[in-house]
Amino acid sequence: MKLPRRFYDRPTLDVARELLGKVLVHNRRGVITSGAIVEVEAYIGESDPACHAAPGPTTRNAPLYGTPGHAYVYLNYGIHCLVNVVTEANGSPAAVLIRALEPLDGVDVMRRRRAQAMKGRRQRASSALAVHDLCRGPGNLTMAMGITLEENRLDLTGDRLYVDDRRRQPGPIAWGPRIGIRVGTETPWRAWVVGNPAVSGVRSRFSRSDDIS
């Protein structure tokens, strides 16, 4: 069952927690890829120095201020596209970054896309990657899923890019500091499924509590 708009129109930390175990689906020209969400990070408001809304409204961060349940896709350091889901009410800029997936549908397609993206780089051939490595990390998962800047601002209640509830139980969830950023690193707004091999970040020094604020 595709998640409805009301799922996203809530406090961001609640959305982040409940996205774990849900399935991100991308239909790119009729080719379906999907993966269970196993790691996320929350970015909330202009007071959060790591949130793209920190400088106030801009052309780039406009989706954060818009209707919840839309995609916010941006180019990170000019290299990788990262995909976020916009949360909370109009005018309240916030989103959840999808950091890692456990691949489900279209694994062979994911391998081909990773191989194409890795051409000319000093990395392992994608054919040697374990399945859980294909979408391990926010840049890797967009490469594998074929998510580009074309998906920026897409309505997640549509049929092209959406989140599906397949009644999967993620298991124990942990919270800890966000990673891959230079500011706001002390805020424990990164959540992941404990023990899942697709999780991308450091797994030590975390709280096992599901109660975070």
Side-chain angles (χ1 to χ4, degrees):
M1 182 180 69
K2 192 180 303 177
L3 296 182
R5 178 123 23 241
R6 64 179 179 273
F7 177 90
Y8 306 99
D9 190 9
R10 298 183 297 145
T12 303
L13 294 178
D14 292 343
V15 176
R17 179 192 297 111
E18 294 180 30
L19 277 172
L20 294 173
K22 304 297 190 296
V23 178
L24 182 67
V25 182
H26 188 210
N27 181 345
R28 186 170 182 83
R29 302 185 183 95
V31 177
I32 303 293
T33 51
S34 74
I37 300 170
V38 297
E39 183 184 8
V40 295
E41 285 179 339
Y43 292 87
I44 308 172
E46 294 176 356
S47 62
D48 177 0
C51 182
H52 282 187
T58 66
T59 300
R60 183 197 193 200
N61 68 24
L64 292 175
Y65 290 83
T67 304
H70 282 73
Y72 173 45
V73 183
Y74 62 87
L75 195 61
N76 191 46
Y77 297 120
I79 302 173
H80 300 300
C81 288
L82 305 188
V83 61
N84 304 253
V85 300
V86 176
T87 58
E88 306 200 14
N90 277 282
S92 298
V96 177
L97 169 67
I98 309 300
R99 282 200 56 90
L101 305 173
E102 179 185 323
L104 296 175
D105 302 306
V107 171
D108 290 341
V109 175
M110 292 180 183
R111 287 193 184 280
R112 289 198 298 271
R113 287 173 176 163
R114 286 291 308 274
Q116 182 66 30
M118 291 162 64
K119 278 185 177 179
R121 300 181 186 178
R122 294 182 179 179
Q123 299 185 34
R124 293 181 295 170
S126 66
S127 60
L129 290 174
V131 171
H132 64 255
D133 282 328
L134 291 172
C135 297
R136 187 170 182 262
N140 289 333
L141 79 84
T142 54
M143 282 190 281
M145 295 278 286
I147 297 171
T148 69
L149 293 177
E150 293 180 5
E151 281 67 55
N152 188 34
R153 300 174 182 259
L154 274 185
D155 189 339
L156 296 174
T157 65
D159 295 323
R160 183 167 155 192
L161 180 66
Y162 58 92
V163 183
D164 202 16
D165 185 357
R166 300 185 185 177
R167 306 297 182 185
R168 296 172 60 92
Q169 297 300 317
I173 294 170
W175 291 86
R178 297 174 295 185
I179 58 178
I181 54 178
R182 297 189 179 98
V183 293
T185 54
E186 71 285 350
T187 307
W189 287 350
R190 173 174 159 259
W192 66 94
V193 177
V194 176
N196 192 290
V199 171
S200 68
V202 177
R203 300 166 181 82
S204 61
R205 297 172 58 191
F206 62 82
S207 167
R208 289 286 290 271
S209 173
D210 284 350
D211 183 15
I212 195 76
S213 60

